[in-house]
Amino acid sequence: MPKKIKRKTTKAMKPTPKTQAILEFLKNEGYRPEIDEEGLVQFKKEGETFLCYPYEDDAHYVQLAHPLVCVLSTDEEKQKALWAINEVSRTYKLLKLTLSDDTVGACVELLLHPVAFITEALPRAIAVLASADRTFNEAFRKSPDPAPTSAPTR
């Protein structure tokens, strides 16, 4: 089964107003958010790390991510992950799953107008990411063994 990895955090950055609104919302919901070394809001849910990219240059756009759903070590695992990504993507709204090099990541992209809607949108986005992580792992376990690599037929 693929393994998980962790990110480092720091409390050195001063939040912008949009980031501050996200921090306050998460604190009010019982999370303990921090700002990481890249200025992203980081928090944990059930031991898993989540990131919120506030994109200060876009007043209405927010991306919530679970950047490392898993780390893959073999080509066979990558093939199984692609199958699982497709299965999960057919099930969820707003969700993007990606395979990049040897990691699978998940994110939800939100357009919030006005940004005050963050209090309504973030709980659902967090729930989607947490559920998608579990669903991906279930689909990965159920995925068929990869077929031998060959050229596609026409």
Side-chain angles (χ1 to χ4, degrees), residues 47-114:
E48 296 290 328
T49 300
F50 292 80
L51 295 173
C52 188
Y53 297 75
Y55 289 95
E56 296 300 337
D57 60 337
D58 187 336
H60 306 291
Y61 180 76
V62 174
Q63 184 184 70
L64 185 66
H66 186 358
L68 300 170
V69 172
C70 68
V71 178
L72 308 166
S73 56
T74 67
D75 287 340
E76 191 172 90
E77 283 184 340
K78 290 177 188 177
Q79 289 295 321
K80 290 175 69 105
L82 285 172
W83 186 89
I85 286 168
N86 286 335
E87 288 297 305
V88 174
S89 295
R90 284 192 277 268
T91 308
Y92 287 85
K93 299 175 194 170
L94 303 173
L95 178 73
K96 285 186 179 180
L97 287 173
T98 58
L99 174 61
S100 178
D101 295 324
D102 62 350
T103 61
V104 175
C107 76
V108 173
E109 295 180 311
L110 304 168
L111 289 173
L112 305 171
H113 187 71

Side-chain angles (χ1 to χ4, degrees), residues 2 9 12 18 22 43 71 74 87 89 125-126 137 151:
T9 63
K18 186 176 180 183
I22 293 166
F43 64 98
V71 178
T74 67
E87 288 297 305
S89 295
I126 292 167
N137 284 308

